[in-house]
């Protein structure tokens, strides 16, 4: 009789060890090793397994006619944008996000849209009872949608039930951490169970052609819980981001075998569920603090969509020996580089100041074209000089202080003109490309000229008397939809 092989598996990263130890050497977490039986279905001796003959399968040539991968639209344009045009038949998607961010709400709305369109959609919850899912559907106004519900955690029972009758077009498993299979002897939620359950569901999806969405929990640092091998097994990994105190929700593709990974979907959480935001720029700029130093509007690109967002900076004298650098929504390394260029080439002394940078609205910027907007906001806060409220900034800053061009300049300026902005500060080498955008273009070849222009308008803090003429001029230069109402 084969002897059970025990191993200690890290519940955070999936690394296996021969003996227990307090710290996982792979991920660095403490007290995450749990004893598991890793034999499962492989208790057969190696000598017997090696004599098994393989199954013959057909080989195809590269010149053959390839089958198309038909997509199924979810009925939600923002979700289809992130997935690449809809769900591919036989694909498996992994959706992760913080607890309470709206994952179940999003998938309930998606399955309801598909069911109303005449497709068979199944929602299987391992965390909630059927009555709880119905309560959510009633709150969202989707109680009349013909979605098939179930509360089950056994993978074998789920596969057997879904194999009967018409194959579902979309299956939602909420969540993969609650599933368990008989092939392994471990508790639900362990690394072994998550990996084996996901593999069984993936095999069913590839064999039947149904699209499956797996909901995954996230750890305290925002990573999807469980073994990273699950992310390699699925076809797409989507991250649902947002802050609980804000209404904005952003769906981002981390991995996608059938579409781009640079697209984002923007949603707004309302009392009736998630509402799609077709124009995220207007949403991100709806709460602008006009006339305050340290704010600049950045014209960015997320995938194929231009997005305008506000960058907020605060530069204040520090009382500590080491100044603090804090950034939210941007790469801290890019902020350190911009600060070094300002101090080395522009004479801006920031070594004795604390620096805070924030991207308003909860959006995370990843492209380097935000360097110019960040530098303008930092200098504006330092010298107490408000930037023009009708101006947008974009451009990449090199280590020599030069402003380099960025791609898709025309799309950025068209979005700015559509929202009522009147001028743009951009790299000098792209002036001819964007002359027909209808904006007043101010090109800069180096960061020094921009810093000198902002510093010339600066004033000591607390010594800015109100000027009615300048206030009226500022109001006239501000797009009407972004004016803050007084009184």
């Amino acid at each position: 009789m084969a002897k059970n092989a025990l191993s200690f598996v890290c519940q955070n990263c999936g690394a296996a060890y021969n003996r227990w130890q307090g710290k996982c050497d792979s991920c660095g977490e403490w007290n995450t090793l749990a004893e598991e039986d890793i034999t499962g279905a492989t208790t057969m001796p190696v000598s017997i397994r090696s004599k098994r003959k393989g199954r013959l399968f057909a080989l195809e040539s590269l010149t053959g006619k390839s089958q198309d991968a038909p997509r199924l639209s979810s009925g939600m344009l923002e979700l289809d944008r992130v997935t690449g045009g809809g769900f591919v038949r036989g694909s498996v998607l992994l959706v992760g996000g913080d607890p309470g961010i709206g994952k179940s709400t999003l998938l309930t709305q998606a399955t309801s849209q598909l069911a109303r369109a005449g497709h068979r959609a199944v929602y299987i919850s391992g965390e909630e009872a059927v009555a709880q899912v119905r309560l959510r559907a009633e709150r969202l106004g989707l109680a009349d949608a013909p979605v098939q519900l179930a509360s089950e955690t056994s993978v074998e029972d789920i596969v057997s039930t879904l194999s009967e009758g018409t194959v579902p077009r979309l299956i939602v498993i909420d969540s993969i951490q609650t599933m368990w299979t008989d092939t392994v002897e471990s508790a639900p939620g362990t690394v072994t169970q998550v990996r084996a359950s996901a593999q069984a569901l993936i095999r069913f999806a590839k064999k039947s052609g149904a699209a499956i969405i797996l909901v995954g929990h996230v750890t305290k640092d925002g990573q999807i819980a469980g073994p990273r091998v699950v992310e390699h097994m699925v076809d797409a990994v989507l991250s649902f981001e947002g802050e609980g105190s804000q209404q904005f929700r952003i769906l981002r593709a981390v991995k996608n075998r059938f579409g781009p990974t640079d697209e984002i979907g923007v949603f707004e959480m309302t009392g009736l569920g998630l509402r799609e935001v077709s124009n995220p720029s207007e949403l991100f700029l709806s709460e602008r603090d006009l006339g305050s130093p340290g704010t600049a509007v950045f014209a960015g690109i997320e995938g194929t969509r231009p997005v305008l967002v506000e960058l907020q900076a605060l530069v204040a004298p520090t009382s500590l020996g080491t100044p603090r650098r804090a950034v939210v929504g941007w790469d801290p390394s890019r902020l350190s580089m911009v600060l070094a260029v300002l101090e080395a080439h522009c004479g801006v002394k920031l070594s004795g100041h604390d620096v805070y940078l924030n991207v308003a609205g909860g959006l995370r910027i990843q492209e380097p074209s935000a360097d110019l907007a960040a530098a303008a906001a930092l200098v504006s806060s330092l010298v107490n000089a408000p930037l023009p409220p009708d101006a947008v900034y974009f451009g990449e800053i090199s280590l020599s202080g030069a402003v380099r061009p960025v791609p898709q300049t025309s799309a950025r300026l068209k979005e700015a003109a559509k929202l009522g902005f009147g001028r743009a500060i951009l790299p000098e080498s792209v002036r001819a490309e964007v002359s027909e955008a209808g904006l007043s273009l101010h090109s800069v070849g180096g960061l020094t000229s921009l810093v000198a222009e902002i510093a010339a308008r600066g004033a000591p803090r607390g010594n800015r008397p109100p000027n009615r003429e300048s206030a009226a001029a500022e109001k006239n230069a501000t797009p009407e939809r972004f004016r803050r109402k007084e009184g």
Side-chain angles (χ1 to χ4, degrees):
M1 201 173 162
K3 188 177 181 181
N4 290 340
L6 298 178
S7 177
F8 295 89
V9 182
C10 176
Q11 304 303 306
N12 183 57
C13 66
Y17 300 89
N18 297 330
R19 57 183 179 84
W20 184 89
Q21 58 189 36
K23 181 180 180 181
C24 176
D25 296 335
S26 179
C27 63
E29 295 292 331
W30 288 86
N31 300 324
T32 57
L33 269 64
E35 184 178 359
E36 296 183 10
D37 183 8
I38 62 173
T39 55
T42 62
T43 55
M44 187 183 301
V46 179
S47 59
I48 299 178
R49 296 201 310 266
S50 61
K51 296 180 181 180
R52 173 182 172 274
K53 292 185 178 181
R55 173 179 60 88
L56 298 179
F57 56 90
L59 299 175
E60 299 182 4
S61 63
L62 294 176
T63 57
K65 184 178 180 181
S66 60
Q67 297 180 355
D68 296 332
R71 294 183 179 270
L72 176 64
S73 176
S74 64
M76 306 178 69
L77 297 179
E78 294 297 307
L79 180 58
D80 291 342
R81 176 190 296 271
V82 178
T83 56
F87 303 119
V88 177
R89 184 186 299 271
S91 62
V92 180
L93 291 80
L94 179 62
V95 179
D98 295 331
I101 202 65
K103 302 184 298 297
S104 300
T105 301
L106 174 65
L107 298 180
T108 301
Q109 294 181 221
T111 52
S112 299
Q113 294 283 355
L114 286 174
R116 287 176 174 175
H119 304 287
R120 185 188 178 190
V122 180
Y123 190 101
I124 298 178
S125 175
E127 300 178 348
E128 298 175 302
V130 173
Q132 294 174 314
V133 181
R134 287 174 177 170
L135 286 175
R136 184 190 307 116
E138 292 178 1
R139 177 177 57 86
L140 301 177
L142 304 173
D144 59 337
V147 178
Q148 297 178 336
L149 302 177
S151 179
E152 185 57 52
T153 57
S154 174
V155 174
E156 284 77 15
D157 295 345
I158 293 173
V159 172
S160 299
T161 303
L162 297 179
S163 300
E164 296 293 331
T166 305
V167 178
R169 294 300 305 272
L170 180 64
I171 304 170
V172 175
I173 305 295
D174 188 8
S175 66
I176 188 59
Q177 274 81 10
T178 60
M179 299 293 124
W180 62 277
T181 174
D182 294 333
T183 59
V184 295
E185 298 180 1
S186 299
T190 59
V191 171
T192 306
Q193 279 287 3
V194 170
R195 183 169 49 231
S197 301
Q199 181 62 39
L201 293 171
I202 291 174
R203 286 198 304 267
F204 172 75
K206 303 303 180 184
K207 182 179 179 180
S208 64
I212 298 181
I213 300 179
L214 306 177
V215 179
H217 295 166
V218 297
T219 58
K220 58 184 179 181
D221 56 351
Q223 300 295 328
I224 297 179
R228 297 302 298 269
V229 68
V230 174
E231 299 185 22
H232 299 295
M233 294 162 56
V234 299
D235 298 309
V237 179
L238 307 182
S239 177
F240 205 37
E241 307 170 354
E243 298 292 338
S245 59
Q246 297 180 349
Q247 298 179 347
F248 313 131
R249 301 291 187 270
I250 297 175
L251 184 64
R252 189 186 304 272
V254 181
K255 168 191 173 182
N256 194 353
R257 291 174 179 169
F258 306 109
T261 58
D262 52 0
E263 293 283 0
I264 64 170
V266 184
F267 301 86
E268 182 182 7
M269 180 62 75
T270 64
L272 297 177
L274 292 168
R275 182 182 67 87
E276 299 181 74
V277 179
S278 58
N279 190 354
S281 300
E282 188 171 358
L283 182 64
F284 291 143
L285 297 177
S286 59
E287 300 295 334
R288 282 189 64 196
D289 191 6
L290 299 173
S292 298
T295 61
V297 177
F298 164 61
I301 294 289
E302 291 289 343
T304 58
R305 168 191 290 176
V307 177
L308 270 62
V309 66
E310 182 184 19
L311 268 64
Q312 303 170 350
L314 176 61
V315 180
T318 182
S319 59
L320 304 175
T322 302
R324 186 176 182 182
R325 305 288 188 259
V327 57
V328 177
W330 201 39
D331 187 6
S333 301
R334 301 293 303 183
L335 175 62
S336 301
M337 189 204 74
V338 172
L339 294 177
V341 172
L342 286 173
E343 190 155 356
H345 297 285
C346 303
V348 179
K349 303 300 180 182
L350 297 170
S351 57
H353 294 76
D354 293 332
V355 175
Y356 303 88
L357 186 68
N358 176 49
V359 179
L363 182 67
R364 295 182 181 178
I365 299 177
Q366 300 179 351
E367 56 175 339
S369 57
D371 293 348
L372 191 63
L378 291 170
V379 177
S380 171
S381 176
L382 178 64
V383 302
N384 195 29
L387 298 176
D390 64 335
V392 294
Y393 298 78
F394 60 91
E396 181 181 356
I397 298 176
S398 65
L399 293 179
S400 61
V403 180
R404 305 182 60 182
V406 295
Q408 303 187 40
T409 303
S410 300
R412 302 172 195 263
L413 293 181
K414 288 181 181 179
E415 180 72 10
K418 184 175 66 175
L419 293 178
F421 288 87
R423 69 182 81 177
I425 289 82
L426 71 167
E428 187 175 11
S429 57
V430 296
R431 182 190 307 173
E433 178 185 352
V434 297
S435 58
E436 45 185 54
L439 298 177
S440 175
L441 306 181
H442 178 65
S443 57
V444 290
L447 188 58
T448 306
S449 59
L450 179 63
V451 172
E453 180 182 350
I454 299 175
R457 301 194 303 264
R461 297 186 182 274
N463 295 330
R464 295 180 59 204
N467 189 342
R468 295 184 179 179
E469 296 180 359
S470 61
E474 178 182 302
K475 183 177 181 180
N476 294 332
T478 304
E480 183 178 356
R481 68 182 70 185
F482 300 135
R483 295 177 188 172
R484 172 168 293 182
K485 296 182 180 180
E486 300 179 356

